Amino acid sequence: TKKCKASVNSNMIDGRMANPHAAFHERQAIAGRATPFLGGGAMTVTIYHNPRCSKSRTTLALLQSRGIEPAIRLYLDEPPSAARLDEILKLLDLEPRALMRRQEPPYKEAGLDDPALTRKQLIAAMVQHPILIERPIVVVEKRGHKKAALGRPPEAALDIL
């Protein structure tokens, strides 16, 4: 386990994290809490996050610097469902391959470059191998309307706020 500087004692055992991702999971607990919207009202913000990815960390920090505490989904540990991923793709106005990390080994190993594969098959592959999902993805919901952005560059996430 990793040492943690967090002051949250519930996840600490002898000064060590009981779960190295505990800080991220604790932030998930606020998923239902609305964040003040820059234009008034309230919104819910979710980031599909990989803490090992610099773009993902930068996007999260950028949101937090604006006073937004998003629900953090560690998608490598808990991939989105096929239905949720399909919804995100529609919000992004992208086809599955445009959101796939094609340099990852599972892409070639599973033959995902085959043009005969359907949207449903590609989404299923992304759920089965979440490392294939480009990150970070930020989803914002306000008054029942949803928007999504790929945080590449990280500032792109600010466009949907």
Side-chain angles (χ1 to χ4, degrees):
T1 59
K2 297 180 181 178
K3 289 205 176 212
C4 176
K5 295 178 184 176
S7 62
V8 179
N9 294 328
S10 63
N11 291 313
M12 304 289 287
I13 298 174
D14 295 328
R16 294 172 158 289
M17 290 291 292
N19 174 350
H21 297 295
F24 294 107
H25 291 294
E26 290 205 10
R27 285 196 176 138
Q28 285 182 322
I30 66 160
R33 189 176 81 194
T35 300
F37 180 59
L38 299 178
M43 67 181 170
T44 302
V45 180
T46 303
I47 183 170
Y48 289 85
H49 180 59
N50 177 352
R52 286 172 252 148
C53 170
S54 65
K55 297 284 189 212
S56 197
R57 290 190 310 270
T58 302
T59 301
L60 177 59
L62 187 61
L63 292 171
Q64 291 172 331
S65 75
R66 301 292 197 278
I68 297 167
E69 281 299 328
I72 299 171
R73 301 289 181 240
L74 299 175
Y75 72 93
L76 293 176
D77 296 337
E78 295 180 36
S81 68
R84 179 68 174 148
L85 192 51
D86 188 46
E87 176 187 30
I88 290 169
L89 284 162
K90 288 175 183 171
L91 291 170
L92 291 169
D93 194 27
L94 293 177
E95 290 301 317
R97 277 195 188 90
L99 193 63
M100 292 178 110
R101 298 176 55 81
R102 298 177 198 185
Q103 74 281 12
E104 295 293 338
Y107 187 83
K108 289 189 169 89
E109 292 166 4
L112 298 176
D113 56 348
D114 181 350
L117 292 173
T118 66
R119 177 182 179 93
K120 186 176 179 178
Q121 290 171 315
L122 292 170
I123 290 171
M126 293 166 81
V127 171
Q128 183 178 3
H129 303 285
I131 192 71
L132 294 173
I133 301 171
E134 189 62 85
R135 73 265 177 169
I137 301 168
V138 177
V139 179
V140 174
E141 183 172 358
K142 181 180 180 191
R143 293 188 211 124
H145 297 285
K146 294 181 183 180
K147 294 181 181 181
L150 184 60
R152 291 183 174 266
E155 295 77 17
L158 298 178
D159 294 341
I160 62 171
L161 303 177

